[in-house]
Amino acid sequence: MIQDASPMSPQTTALALHALGQGPLANRWRTEAMRSHATPRLIFFARGQGRITVAGLTSGYGANNLIFIPAGTMYGFEMGPSVFGQIMAVPGAMAAEWPDRPVHLRLKDVASQKELLALLEGLERELHSDRPQHRRAAHYHAGLLSVYLARQVALKAADPARDRADTSAARLVAAYTGLVERHFRADRGVAAYAAELGVTPTHLTRCCRQTCGQSALALLANRRHYEACVMLRDTTTPVQDIASATGFQSAAYFSRAFQARAGQSPSAFRRSGASPRHG
């Protein structure tokens, strides 16, 4: 398979396709915590339902939902036991062929559903193939998926969440999540982010709760927690260095915050072993 890192890792820049819904519940942080990637992601939920938060805006998803996440956009989603789907890492070299803002499509037309499944099956087949030129063929399949998405958007199949994203509250929260993504490693609190956005911390939190049901502090803590989990599972970086790399003033403070959220210490989390690379 064409890949160079975990499918949910910000370092993934190669074309990859992975199944969703096959991992143990203990690894929910791989999907539910806020994160972003250096390259775009395309998510297809074939069955099941839940909620997904993209750039601070929460929406429901169900079967035959196709969601595009631009590079650098914070997101996370629920993964119940009935959910199954696939997530594709878009190569950095192909990113310009995809939208520059999130897209959520609810595919109700059977013909459109079948067309998407055929494209995904073709991509998966080439990614697992050992035939000559299979990588080149896989990239052409990815290109066809970008055309498919553009056509569906042109047909106005987009979810009403796109209209919700144009409200003042949603725009503010999207700007906030963008800042968080750029600066979460620094020791900056919500007040500093609010000041940069020209609003009060109270107003920022009110808007965050309105768009995604979380406070501004919770979104920031969520993003830091995911990064800490990735570093603990995927690297040998010392805990004290992970603390400073995720915006904590001390290793002790980091350990207390991690324990409160994960139910175990950072060291115990690391010893529990790396999770499956299922996305």
Side-chain angles (χ1 to χ4, degrees):
M1 182 167 293
I2 307 173
Q3 59 186 28
D4 59 359
S6 166
M8 303 305 290
S9 166
Q11 287 74 41
T12 298
T13 57
L15 177 61
L17 183 68
H18 297 271
L20 292 173
Q22 296 180 330
L25 296 181
N27 294 306
R28 279 179 170 172
W29 65 270
R30 285 287 191 186
T31 58
E32 293 185 359
M34 291 296 117
R35 92 299 313 279
S36 78
H37 306 288
T39 62
R41 294 296 187 273
L42 183 69
I43 304 173
F44 174 59
F45 292 107
R47 65 171 183 263
Q49 59 184 5
R51 295 189 303 172
I52 183 167
T53 300
V54 181
L57 185 66
T58 299
S59 303
Y61 71 81
N64 296 306
N65 275 211
L66 185 65
I67 301 170
F68 175 74
I69 314 290
T73 301
M74 277 177 52
Y75 77 100
F77 54 89
E78 298 173 351
M79 278 287 294
S82 65
V83 173
F84 180 79
Q86 292 173 293
I87 181 168
M88 183 181 83
V90 177
M94 300 180 70
E97 301 175 15
W98 296 78
D100 58 3
R101 60 183 295 178
V103 174
H104 187 152
L105 302 173
R106 300 181 188 275
L107 305 173
K108 300 179 180 179
D109 180 69
V110 175
S112 296
Q113 296 170 9
K114 290 182 177 180
E115 182 181 359
L116 175 61
L117 289 173
L119 290 171
L120 289 171
E121 288 171 1
L123 172 61
E124 185 172 24
R125 182 171 57 252
E126 293 297 344
L127 285 172
H128 287 87
S129 174
D130 57 1
R131 298 167 63 194
Q133 300 292 316
H134 70 97
R135 294 191 180 191
R136 181 183 180 192
H139 281 79
Y140 280 125
H141 279 285
L144 288 173
L145 280 165
S146 72
V147 172
Y148 173 88
L149 182 68
R151 286 174 171 172
Q152 292 298 317
V153 171
L155 292 172
K156 303 186 184 300
D159 187 81
R162 187 166 66 176
D163 295 331
R164 292 172 54 221
D166 289 330
T167 65
S168 59
R171 287 193 295 269
L172 174 63
V173 176
Y176 170 62
T177 59
L179 287 177
V180 167
E181 186 54 41
R182 290 194 292 274
H183 304 298
F184 72 88
R185 296 181 183 277
D187 182 18
R188 299 179 62 181
V190 171
Y193 287 105
E196 186 169 349
L197 292 167
V199 298
T200 67
T202 299
H203 180 68
L204 178 58
T205 287
R206 184 184 304 116
C207 290
C208 288
R209 291 193 183 281
Q210 179 181 334
T211 61
C212 67
Q214 298 184 56
S215 68
L217 179 60
L219 282 172
L220 175 59
N222 201 327
R223 181 63 182 93
R224 286 173 169 167
H225 180 72
Y226 174 79
E227 196 69 18
C229 287
V230 170
M231 295 182 73
L232 286 167
R233 286 287 176 90
D234 299 347
T235 77
T236 58
T237 304
V239 171
Q240 60 267 28
D241 293 339
I242 293 176
S244 61
T246 51
F248 288 89
Q249 294 180 343
S250 70
Y253 179 33
F254 165 71
S255 294
R256 288 195 299 270
F258 191 92
Q259 174 90 37
R261 180 177 286 265
Q264 57 184 325
S265 70
S267 297
F269 181 86
R270 170 170 274 169
R271 286 195 302 270
S272 65
S275 65
R277 294 165 59 163
H278 70 280

